Amino acid sequence: VAAFSALKRGKEEFMAYQISEKCTKCGACASVCPQEAIAEGPKTYVIDADKCVDCGLCEGECPVEAISAG
Ligand code: SF4
Ligand code: SF4
């Protein structure tokens, strides 16, 4: 995990994953995120861009394809 934090990338080349309004709040993505970057928001689950390391695990887990690379 420390290795991930050491990977500081420039803002222009690193965009966190994002969750669209298609999210049904099933919670699947949050349970697989190794960074605990995903939490329940008011309308959808939301990804904390400061924690996300762009691993893509959540994208493959979402049953409604609400997650995409930013
Ligand atoms: S891309 Fe990886 S680190 Fe970012 S929110 Fe998804 S599972 Fe978490
Ligand atoms: S897996 Fe998809 S539908 Fe489920 S909470 Fe995450 S973004 Fe929403």
Side-chain angles (χ1 to χ4, degrees), residues 18-20 22-32 38-40 43-47 58-67:
Q18 294 177 336
I19 296 176
S20 79
K22 285 194 289 185
C23 172
T24 61
K25 289 190 159 191
C26 72
C29 55
S31 62
V32 297
I38 310 179
E40 188 174 1
K43 291 183 179 166
T44 64
Y45 269 57
V46 290
I47 294 174
C58 55
E59 183 179 23
E61 207 63 27
C62 181
V64 296
E65 297 180 358
I67 307 179

Side-chain angles (χ1 to χ4, degrees), residues 6-55:
L7 280 174
K8 280 285 178 191
R9 283 158 287 190
K11 282 279 181 196
E12 50 281 328
E13 52 186 292
F14 175 61
M15 296 291 288
Y17 274 64
Q18 294 177 336
I19 296 176
S20 79
E21 68 282 353
K22 285 194 289 185
C23 172
T24 61
K25 289 190 159 191
C26 72
C29 55
S31 62
V32 297
C33 178
Q35 294 297 108
E36 296 184 355
I38 310 179
E40 188 174 1
K43 291 183 179 166
T44 64
Y45 269 57
V46 290
I47 294 174
D48 183 338
D50 291 332
K51 292 182 182 172
C52 176
V53 294
D54 251 1
C55 73

